[in-house]
Amino acid sequence: MAQNHYRETIRGMYDFIRENLYFNRPDLEIKGERFNSALIFSLLTGINRGKELIIGEPGLGKTTSAEYVGSLLYRIPIGIVWGSEVSGHPEQTEEKIIGRPDLGKLNRGTEEVVWSNFAQIPVKIVDEINRLPETKQSMILDGVDRGNWEYLNEMIINEEYCLFATANYQDRGTNTIIAPMVDRFDVEVESRHPGPNIAYLVGKFDQKDRILRSPKAERSLQKILTSKLSYQTKLRQMEEVCDGYGEFLGKKLGIETVGLQERKAIRAEIGRLELDLDANAFTRMLLAELSFCHKYGQKRSVENCEEGCHFTGYLCREVRNCASNRLPTSIKTYSQALAWLLGDAEVDVEHIKAITPYTLAHRIQWKEEYLSAKEKDTRDHPFQIYLAKEAVSTVFNRYGEQSEHLKSALAVGYRVFNGESLEPVEGDHPVYFEIKKDLGLEE
Amino acid sequence: MKNPFDDFRDHPTTEREIPLDSIIQSRNRVMSNIIRGYEMLLEEEVKELVWLVQYNTVIKAYTLAEKAVKEFDYRAEDIEEFCYELDSTDKIPYLITGPAGIYISALCNYAQEEEITLKLSDLKTQINLLGYRLPVGKKVVVEGNLGDFTGIGMEGGELVVEGSAKNYTGAGMKSGRIRIMKNIGLHTGEWMMGGEILVGGRVRGLGKIVDGKVYEDEKLIYPRNYRQSNTYY
């Protein structure tokens, strides 16, 4: 009962944003339902405590979509969300991003940190992250990854947070997002142009930003954030204000929101959803293709396998780098969240298929020859997402041909691993070789 | 270390069988039965050391073949497949064309189908004695050439050869019809006692015919033939 209520609340937020704040076309179909990918993934990111990279042309709602989702899902007045954002520009400093010394106390010989709003609030938005110089991107790596923010000798740890970073396409003012930072993003989505007719509506409703404003709640929260209280005390007080803001939203807009305990309950429900065997086996097959190298043992970005390998037709031949261990976590958590949102009892292969391209798009480094061969393809998505969708579709076709065989191979693997004397199941795919490696039967 | 395949502990380790697999398995089973029957026949016949087409030898071999083929079920296409198995000597140790023909004839005579088509044009060897004792109501159509003693002792069936046959075709046949589309060899109809042999091409020589009819290119050449036995044209 509670599960349905929470789900309806979250779906209500999606509908509210779609109808009133972020106008765009649905561009993603999952199990017969159509969603806007930027909006649904932002919502899943917020629920999941995830990290999302939103790409797109300037002015197409990358930042604002994240602001709306963050504000509603965490009950943070949008004015505070605005005031907590980090802007990516070359002159950005650690003191503006994370915290600074309390200058008054420093003059009196005491070191105390004044934490930035960005470090303290759970909704973290980095606007135009690729305008941050590469050295300054490194400053936020740990905070982004684990939620621990350090300055001088002090540290705060965010128990609950999510990150939205926006990035424009490459121009003169942009830098490369460093590889460790890229890998920390769970998903990449594009905030697309909504088309001329919907874009016209965007211009017509130009007061959207005011809808989620609450100057009173914003002042209260700002006061707590700048106070000298301990971070834990601040969190408790912030929660009270946020709950009040939630009530305000309910009365003013008729939109139901969720508080901290409810978000925890939702995450617990999501975490209980298991992947069915097809989703499980398909994910393993995909990971095998993205990490396997017959010649050199595993994919390494510094090594290039030669032509003529038996596995030339698989993804391992087309990619340069190896899949990181963050990839399966992203696939699993986002697929669980999606299954929960759709009201499904377990995660199936359709959820995995829908989620995976967005978890892969920014992580795969394709070989130049593959990019050259594909860049002129007719497509509806940005190149990276298009390639990832193609890759997932290709692997899924392969999975369809041998799903029973693979599941049987994994079942035999379980028994051999437990000491039974059985022959491992052979097959013509990297995943069967990886199973043998795990069983210590590598040729 | 934790078992990385733990999620699959309850999944069956045998694969779900797809229909094609069961069809292939069934076919393999039938073929092995047919081959086993042939090998049993050979085991008996090999004692003769040299296999000669003699009245008693053929009857004895056919009796053994009959006994073997009654033991299992098979279909007409299995007979054709067996012919090709015989031709590729890696599965069956040796091909003695006499017993092979007798055995194939028994397979045809006891098949469920009334009409059997054997596409044998790609065979490297020519099968002798095919059509032996072909009974009433059975029709065997062979695409390709056959060897000696084709259709001997026929008992009312119809044998069509869309090619040529060699010597002693229709020898000792009692009734039925043999239709050879191309040419036929010597001793045609030797000791035949009834039935018809129709040849589309040339008949190289007739045998000592007791009764029945032989046609060459739609012209009756026996009983109204004026040729001497084994006259070469």
Side-chain angles (χ1 to χ4, degrees):
Chain A
M1 194 67 183
Q3 189 177 19
N4 284 340
H5 177 70
Y6 291 149
R7 183 164 42 251
E8 282 163 17
T9 304
I10 301 295
R11 295 285 296 245
M13 284 185 210
Y14 177 88
D15 293 339
F16 181 82
I17 298 171
R18 186 193 62 189
E19 296 295 328
N20 301 287
L21 300 168
Y22 180 74
F23 302 151
N24 215 324
R25 289 172 176 155
D27 60 346
L28 178 66
E29 185 169 326
I30 309 164
K31 295 192 166 190
E33 278 197 73
R34 289 170 61 75
F35 298 95
N36 176 265
S37 57
L39 194 49
I40 191 79
F41 274 100
S42 293
L43 205 58
L44 296 179
T45 300
I47 299 169
N48 246 352
R49 292 179 293 183
K51 300 163 195 82
E52 181 187 35
L53 179 63
I54 309 168
I55 58 169
E57 294 286 326
L60 291 187
K62 298 186 295 293
T63 314
T64 48
S65 63
E67 288 165 353
Y68 296 141
V69 170
S71 172
L72 280 179
L73 202 56
Y74 284 80
R75 289 178 171 168
I76 299 175
I78 199 147
I80 292 294
V81 175
W82 292 340
S84 309
E85 284 172 19
V86 166
S87 297
H89 59 79
E91 304 307 318
Q92 193 57 274
T93 61
E94 192 173 11
E95 283 68 29
K96 288 180 189 166
I97 298 173
I98 300 171
R100 61 177 175 82
D102 184 328
L103 296 175
K105 288 194 176 174
L106 194 63
N107 279 338
R108 295 196 293 274
T110 310
E111 277 189 0
E112 195 169 301
V113 178
V114 177
W115 296 104
S116 68
N117 284 6
F118 176 78
Q120 294 183 90
I121 73 164
V123 177
K124 302 185 192 302
I125 297 175
V126 181
D127 199 17
E128 301 188 7
I129 192 170
N130 55 345
R131 291 194 191 278
L132 277 178
E134 294 174 8
T135 49
K136 288 175 180 168
Q137 291 175 29
S138 305
M139 284 189 320
I140 57 170
L141 268 182
D142 268 357
V144 162
D145 199 24
R146 301 192 189 96
N148 64 314
W149 302 94
E150 295 173 32
Y151 191 81
L152 297 177
N153 288 328
E154 289 186 41
M155 183 179 76
I156 57 171
I157 297 178
N158 301 141
E159 297 292 342
E160 184 192 39
Y161 73 100
C162 56
L163 175 80
F164 302 92
T166 68
N168 291 326
Y169 296 120
Q170 291 286 318
D171 58 36
R172 279 196 316 161
T174 57
N175 302 289
T176 311
I177 304 178
I178 56 175
M181 177 64 85
V182 166
D183 191 51
R184 279 165 171 80
F185 287 110
D186 292 298
V187 289
E188 178 191 85
V189 289
E190 184 190 37
S191 185
R192 301 161 62 103
H193 188 268
N197 302 310
I198 298 174
Y200 175 79
L201 282 182
V202 175
K204 201 173 172 185
F205 297 95
D206 58 349
Q207 301 297 307
K208 293 199 305 301
D209 286 350
R210 294 188 184 174
I211 292 176
L212 300 181
R213 288 291 311 273
S214 169
K216 186 183 163 197
E218 285 161 9
R219 278 195 299 274
S220 304
L221 263 184
Q222 185 61 22
K223 196 174 167 188
I224 296 167
L225 287 166
T226 53
S227 69
K228 305 296 179 189
L229 300 167
S230 73
Y231 184 56
Q232 292 305 319
T233 311
K234 283 184 186 180
L235 283 178
R236 278 195 297 276
Q237 293 186 0
M238 280 163 62
E239 190 57 27
E240 286 172 23
V241 177
C242 290
D243 287 347
Y245 177 65
E247 285 174 26
F248 163 80
L249 290 174
K251 283 178 192 162
K252 182 185 168 192
L253 304 172
I255 170 97
E256 203 172 342
T257 52
V258 287
L260 176 62
Q261 295 310 318
E262 289 157 320
R263 287 195 298 272
K264 280 184 179 173
I266 289 171
R267 283 179 200 126
E269 285 173 7
I270 289 172
R272 282 194 288 272
L273 292 182
E274 296 284 343
L275 272 71
D276 72 14
L277 289 191
D278 279 308
N280 188 325
F282 171 59
T283 307
R284 288 172 195 244
M285 180 178 250
L286 183 76
L287 293 174
E289 290 204 29
L290 294 172
S291 59
F292 176 82
C293 181
H294 194 232
K295 175 85 174 170
Y296 300 120
Q298 69 153 76
K299 293 300 300 179
R300 292 182 192 91
S301 48
V302 290
E303 293 166 346
N304 188 12
C305 58
E306 294 152 12
E307 279 187 27
C309 171
H310 175 71
F311 295 97
T312 295
Y314 298 99
L315 291 185
C316 56
R317 173 72 188 137
E318 316 297 356
V319 304
R320 287 177 52 227
N321 61 329
C322 184
S324 85
N325 283 337
R326 292 189 181 95
L327 174 63
T329 308
S330 303
I331 293 173
K332 188 184 174 205
T333 53
Y334 274 71
S335 299
Q336 283 176 312
L338 177 64
W340 177 85
L341 197 64
L342 296 178
D344 293 324
E346 58 183 358
V347 179
D348 63 34
V349 78
E350 289 300 316
H351 302 123
I352 301 281
K353 259 177 72 188
I355 291 292
T356 306
Y358 298 91
T359 63
L360 285 180
H362 55 298
R363 285 179 162 123
I364 296 185
Q365 294 171 23
W366 298 98
K367 288 183 181 171
E368 282 302 323
E369 55 265 35
Y370 187 72
L371 294 173
S372 303
K374 290 281 186 182
E375 68 184 345
K376 301 291 182 195
D377 285 4
T378 305
R379 54 188 160 82
D380 192 39
H381 295 280
F383 196 30
Q384 288 176 311
I385 295 175
Y386 166 72
L387 291 177
K389 278 180 179 274
E390 287 271 297
V392 171
S393 173
T394 307
V395 177
F396 184 70
N397 287 343
R398 280 197 270 275
Y399 179 72
E401 290 162 5
Q402 50 187 302
S403 61
E404 289 303 319
H405 191 68
L406 175 56
K407 284 186 283 186
S408 186
L410 292 162
V412 169
Y414 170 78
R415 292 171 61 181
V416 174
F417 195 91
N418 280 357
E420 286 188 51
S421 179
L422 286 170
E423 279 295 310
V425 175
E426 299 283 345
D428 192 15
H429 189 277
V431 71
Y432 301 100
F433 288 73
E434 296 288 6
I435 291 170
K436 281 207 231 173
K437 282 186 189 176
D438 291 325
L439 299 174
L441 301 169
E442 192 181 359
E443 287 165 12
Chain B
M1 195 176 90
K2 191 178 182 327
N3 189 329
F5 311 106
D6 194 47
D7 296 337
F8 293 84
R9 64 183 174 278
D10 297 326
H11 190 269
T13 49
T14 50
E15 283 185 57
R16 190 185 62 191
E17 200 174 79
I18 58 173
L20 184 61
D21 288 341
S22 62
I23 291 167
I24 291 169
Q25 279 172 11
S26 160
R27 302 269 301 176
N28 288 343
R29 207 162 35 242
V30 169
M31 192 48 55
S32 65
N33 284 336
I34 294 176
I35 290 170
R36 198 178 309 119
Y38 178 64
E39 285 170 347
M40 278 166 52
L41 175 66
L42 282 186
E43 275 173 28
E44 289 297 315
E45 294 304 305
V46 82
K47 291 172 190 165
E48 305 287 330
L49 293 178
V50 177
W51 204 89
L52 297 172
V53 182
Q54 292 175 341
Y55 189 67
N56 288 343
T57 323
V58 172
I59 289 175
K60 187 182 156 206
Y62 185 75
T63 308
L64 287 168
E66 260 184 325
K67 190 181 165 193
V69 301
K70 283 177 186 172
E71 296 290 317
F72 50 83
D73 292 327
Y74 57 93
R75 298 180 63 81
E77 56 262 32
D78 298 323
I79 304 172
E80 184 180 296
E81 197 174 323
F82 173 67
C83 294
Y84 282 95
E85 290 285 349
L86 273 177
D87 210 33
S88 61
T89 52
D90 55 331
K91 275 197 178 175
I92 299 170
Y94 41 86
L95 166 66
I96 303 174
T97 55
I102 294 284
Y103 189 69
I104 294 165
S105 298
L107 286 169
C108 292
N109 297 349
Y110 284 92
Q112 291 169 357
E113 294 87 347
E114 289 183 354
E115 183 169 331
I116 297 162
T117 301
L118 302 175
K119 295 177 182 173
L120 305 181
S121 50
D122 292 331
L123 279 188
K124 286 179 277 190
T125 50
Q126 287 175 344
I127 294 172
N128 298 329
L129 290 144
L130 205 148
Y132 178 62
R133 287 199 186 177
L134 190 66
V136 176
K138 285 271 179 191
K139 181 178 180 182
V140 175
V141 179
V142 177
E143 293 179 11
N145 300 324
L146 290 178
D148 295 326
F149 304 103
T150 295
I152 64 169
M154 279 197 19
E155 294 180 352
E158 184 179 356
L159 175 65
V160 179
V161 181
E162 294 179 352
S164 297
K166 287 187 175 174
N167 306 323
Y168 291 99
T169 297
M173 70 182 284
K174 293 164 192 157
S175 59
R177 177 183 287 172
I178 300 173
R179 185 190 295 272
I180 309 290
M181 296 303 182
K182 290 184 181 172
N183 304 318
I184 202 166
L186 303 172
H187 306 286
T188 299
E190 181 87 4
W191 298 109
M192 77 183 273
M193 288 175 280
E196 294 175 340
I197 301 174
L198 298 94
V199 183
R202 300 286 306 273
V203 178
R204 288 193 72 192
L206 295 172
K208 295 184 181 102
I209 299 171
V210 178
D211 199 2
K213 292 176 182 171
V214 179
Y215 294 85
E216 185 186 55
D217 195 16
E218 299 183 355
K219 289 177 192 159
L220 186 69
I221 57 170
Y222 185 88
R224 284 173 44 197
N225 85 5
Y226 301 103
R227 298 169 189 161
Q228 296 296 311
S229 303
N230 292 333
T231 302
Y232 294 86
Y233 296 96

